Amino acid sequence: MICSFVTRDGSRWMPKYLAAIDGATCIGCGRCFKVCSREVMHLQGIDDAGEILGVCDGEGDDFDGDLNRMIMVVDHPGRCIGCGACARVCPKNCQTHIGADTMRHDSREETGER
């Protein structure tokens, strides 16, 4: 189990990784996306039924008129480094973060090493 990490100056620090964004609360402002250097999340369009239509690349994306609103979706959680920048800029506090101390990670399981 990981107790904590240490910054360059020796201070203890615990990364908190982005795990999810609440689509009902997210207003799709894009602030979290703008501060994330790792492309962990992207704006996605959703229709009236709440179904995700796809990534919104530009202002012209209306998905043939089906676009109701845009929300941020975590599509690459493994890229998150746990810096917390996205949480600091979110005006709706709609993100869920998981501390590194609560995660169990064994790289041997991923690579098949024994």
Side-chain angles (χ1 to χ4, degrees), residues 53-70:
L53 300 171
V55 176
C56 295
D57 293 332
E59 292 181 25
D61 291 335
D62 71 347
F63 298 97
D64 296 326
D66 290 336
L67 181 67
N68 180 27
R69 66 187 188 100
M70 294 185 294

Side-chain angles (χ1 to χ4, degrees), residues 31-46:
R31 292 177 186 168
C32 55
F33 177 77
K34 290 176 185 174
V35 300
C36 181
S37 64
R38 308 285 298 168
E39 296 185 6
V40 173
M41 67 212 84
H42 290 90
L43 271 176
Q44 305 262 337
I46 60 171

Side-chain angles (χ1 to χ4, degrees), residues 8-51:
R8 289 179 12 181
D9 68 359
S11 302
R12 289 182 164 221
W13 175 69
M14 183 60 62
K16 293 185 179 177
Y17 302 110
L18 180 62
I21 298 175
D22 181 2
T25 307
C26 178
I27 59 173
C29 66
R31 292 177 186 168
C32 55
F33 177 77
K34 290 176 185 174
V35 300
C36 181
S37 64
R38 308 285 298 168
E39 296 185 6
V40 173
M41 67 212 84
H42 290 90
L43 271 176
Q44 305 262 337
I46 60 171
D47 62 14
D48 292 331
E51 297 293 320

Side-chain angles (χ1 to χ4, degrees), residues 3 5 13 32 35 44 52 54 61 65 68 73 77 79 90 94 101 112:
C3 294
F5 291 87
W13 175 69
C32 55
V35 300
Q44 305 262 337
I52 294 177
D61 291 335
N68 180 27
V73 174
R79 294 180 181 174
C90 181
C94 60
D101 57 341

Side-chain angles (χ1 to χ4, degrees), residues 1-3 5 14-19 77-82 96-106 110:
M1 178 82 45
I2 300 170
C3 294
F5 291 87
M14 183 60 62
K16 293 185 179 177
Y17 302 110
L18 180 62
R79 294 180 181 174
C80 182
I81 60 172
T96 301
H97 291 79
I98 300 172
D101 57 341
T102 62
M103 298 177 68
R104 183 173 183 268
H105 179 74
D106 188 348
E110 290 178 2

